[in-house]
Amino acid sequence: MAKYFDVHPDNPQARTINQVADLIRADALVAYPTDSCYALGCRLGSRDGIDRIRAIRRLDDRHHFTLVCQDFAQLGQFVRIDNDVFRAIKASTPGSYTFILPATREVPRMLQHPKKKTVGVRIPDHVVTQALLTELGEPLLSSTLLLPDEEEPLTQGWEIKDRLDHVLDAVVDSGECGTEPTTVIDFSSGEAEIVRVGAGDPTRFE
């Protein structure tokens, strides 16, 4: 049964954020809000968390997981970025974009695309997510909370709790946060390729 945390959207309670972070450190799988939509998140090196996300979403091994990072300094530890790509990403963060880039050795192999050795990264523009990332001190391994055979992600914390109570450890609810997932830009070849159009304006990468 998932624990339910009601968090203020503008002034998240420190005690509650600490409790959620402690659960994640203990290998919990949580549903949490972002600036695009709700996501599933777990500890960076959690094999159990990855397996559970794959099972919930019915994902194969070609799915790009995303490292949700606190800031650009943290993001830079996990992906390789040349100067041109750096400028393009810097101008678009924080925001509703996920960028696919070559992974560094800091990224566990189980998170990398099996052939491309890439991983998704993003910096969210969301107060609650940022508070959680600050407390954790490391990225959240994440995937959009989009259930199989459904066209839109779940947007209400109570509904997520109701439908996924048996497979999650916690739900963080700070109110509705939208239905569109991030816009995904693949920079692994050095050139911008728009993989998915979502909440972030894709025109700057066309």
Side-chain angles (χ1 to χ4, degrees):
M1 187 170 172
K3 295 183 178 180
Y4 186 79
F5 296 94
D6 190 2
V7 181
H8 194 283
D10 300 315
N11 297 291
Q13 306 91 314
R15 182 170 174 271
T16 304
I17 293 296
N18 291 346
Q19 288 176 316
V20 177
D22 285 344
L23 284 172
I24 292 169
R25 293 187 187 105
D27 243 13
L29 177 63
V30 306
Y32 71 99
T34 75
D35 51 340
S36 56
C37 57
Y38 271 87
L40 298 169
C42 65
R43 184 175 57 83
L44 179 58
S46 175
R47 164 81 60 183
D48 179 64
I50 293 170
D51 289 345
R52 290 166 70 188
I53 291 172
R54 287 193 193 280
I56 291 168
R57 293 202 54 202
R58 296 183 203 158
L59 301 172
D60 60 28
D61 63 359
R62 296 186 300 277
H63 175 75
H64 269 107
F65 283 97
T66 298
L67 301 183
V68 178
C69 300
Q70 180 184 355
D71 53 29
F72 217 88
Q74 190 177 75
L75 181 149
Q77 299 173 42
F78 297 94
V79 289
R80 297 196 302 274
I81 312 176
D82 65 28
N83 288 338
D84 289 341
V85 174
F86 175 90
R87 284 191 290 270
I89 295 177
K90 184 77 170 175
S92 307
T93 55
S96 300
Y97 297 93
T98 297
F99 300 100
I100 297 172
L101 290 158
T104 68
R105 293 180 181 178
E106 299 296 318
V107 179
R109 186 168 293 179
M110 60 185 173
L111 301 186
Q112 300 178 27
H113 188 283
K115 291 183 178 179
K116 298 180 180 180
K117 306 305 180 190
T118 49
V119 70
V121 288
R122 69 170 299 219
I123 302 171
D125 187 14
H126 193 280
V127 173
V128 174
T129 317
Q130 281 291 343
L132 184 55
L133 291 169
T134 300
E135 176 59 30
L136 274 175
E138 66 177 30
L140 264 172
L141 167 62
S142 290
S143 183
T144 302
L145 210 176
L146 181 61
L147 298 179
D149 305 320
E150 297 193 12
E151 293 184 2
E152 291 192 343
L154 300 177
T155 61
Q156 301 281 357
W158 61 266
E159 184 185 12
I160 294 167
K161 162 80 168 155
D162 186 54
R163 293 185 60 182
L164 300 177
D165 199 29
H166 59 298
V167 292
L168 295 177
D169 298 304
V171 175
V172 180
D173 189 351
S174 65
E176 194 166 329
C177 59
T179 60
E180 278 195 289
T182 56
T183 291
V184 179
I185 310 295
D186 188 342
F187 270 117
S188 57
S189 67
E191 300 291 330
E193 178 188 347
I194 301 171
V195 176
R196 179 180 72 196
V197 175
D201 180 7
T203 57
R204 63 176 65 192
F205 297 102
E206 291 176 345

